[in-house]
Amino acid sequence: MSTAPEQHSEQQGPTAGARLAIDLGPLVVFFAVNAWRGIFSATIAFMVAITAAMLVSKIKYKHISPLLWFSGAMVLILGSITIWLHDETFIKIKPTIYYVMVAGLLLFGMYTGRNLLKLVLGSAYPGLSDHGWKILTRNWALFFIAMALVNEAVWRTTSTDFWVGFKLWGALPATFLFALANVPMLMRHGMQLETKEETPMPPSQ
């Protein structure tokens, strides 16, 4: 009889490590296949991997986050256009569109009194005050706008291999460092760190 509550708690949602694997696993596949077979094979692999990540999230955790839905739809749509037209431009502008649209949604929600980041990641930041959520939302929105501009500059002025390398060695570390840089502010505004799990953050695709 004691196993039922444990099973129920396991279904509450993925751990921080599982969330990281679901969000970043498809990107790892993309990087690996690009190094082996090039951008077009990597795009196909990316589409398959993100579909698999969404299925795992739905089957194992009974939930697909709105940001994963959004990112998955963009990968499938722009990836399909990339393969159909044999034009890598479309997969390269995918991060720009993602960053701009997420930043726009965050800012719109913040200024209309509906904090969308809190709706998506609320349980990941226990104790955070409403003012803290507002600051965090603003910070992530500005970060995503900056990353959109950087992505545009990189893909338009460098080779495909350099752009892929930038996503791996530039964009991902920058996202992790930015998440960590927000922790002192979060602590000042009531967030409670009760576990040693990774600092939650919006997925960066």
Side-chain angles (χ1 to χ4, degrees):
M1 295 180 63
S2 61
T3 59
E6 293 177 359
Q7 291 175 349
H8 177 73
S9 63
E10 288 175 357
Q11 294 179 353
Q12 294 302 307
T15 64
R19 284 196 304 268
L20 199 63
I22 290 170
D23 291 337
L24 298 185
L27 277 176
V28 173
V29 171
F30 177 77
F31 298 140
V33 176
N34 179 76
W36 177 40
R37 297 293 300 271
I39 189 69
F40 295 108
S41 295
T43 298
I44 295 173
F46 196 12
M47 295 165 64
V48 172
I50 202 162
T51 301
M54 295 171 71
L55 288 173
V56 168
S57 183
K58 179 63 176 178
I59 294 170
K60 188 170 183 180
Y61 302 109
K62 314 300 181 185
H63 175 71
I64 300 176
S65 72
L67 287 175
L68 184 57
W69 269 118
F70 180 49
S71 183
M74 289 189 61
V75 169
L76 293 175
I77 293 170
L78 294 176
S80 296
I81 297 173
T82 297
I83 301 304
W84 182 34
L85 299 180
H86 204 69
D87 186 346
E88 61 194 46
T89 300
F90 294 95
I91 200 65
K92 288 180 177 179
I93 66 172
K94 182 264 177 186
T96 300
I97 297 173
Y98 176 87
Y99 290 138
V100 169
M101 292 190 70
V102 172
L105 288 171
L106 292 178
L107 291 174
F108 176 79
M110 185 173 69
Y111 287 109
T112 56
R114 297 184 294 272
N115 194 303
L116 302 180
L117 191 65
K118 184 177 181 180
L119 292 176
V120 174
L121 297 177
S123 62
Y125 294 88
L128 186 61
S129 67
D130 287 340
H131 186 59
W133 276 110
K134 186 174 182 179
I135 296 174
L136 183 65
T137 299
R138 180 205 63 192
N139 290 354
W140 274 112
L142 293 176
F143 175 79
F144 284 144
I145 291 170
M147 290 300 294
L149 295 173
V150 171
N151 185 70
E152 283 296 294
V154 171
W155 84 259
R156 291 178 182 275
T157 60
T158 64
S159 67
T160 296
D161 286 341
F162 185 92
W163 173 76
V164 173
F166 164 75
K167 286 177 63 64
L168 178 60
W169 304 112
L172 284 180
T175 303
F176 281 112
L177 290 173
F178 185 79
L180 291 174
N182 277 279
V183 170
M185 179 277 294
L186 297 173
M187 298 292 289
R188 290 195 301 271
H189 288 87
M191 189 182 77
Q192 303 168 3
L193 291 180
E194 298 177 351
T195 71
K196 297 181 179 179
E197 294 181 334
E198 296 90 340
T199 302
M201 62 181 184
S204 174
Q205 297 285 342

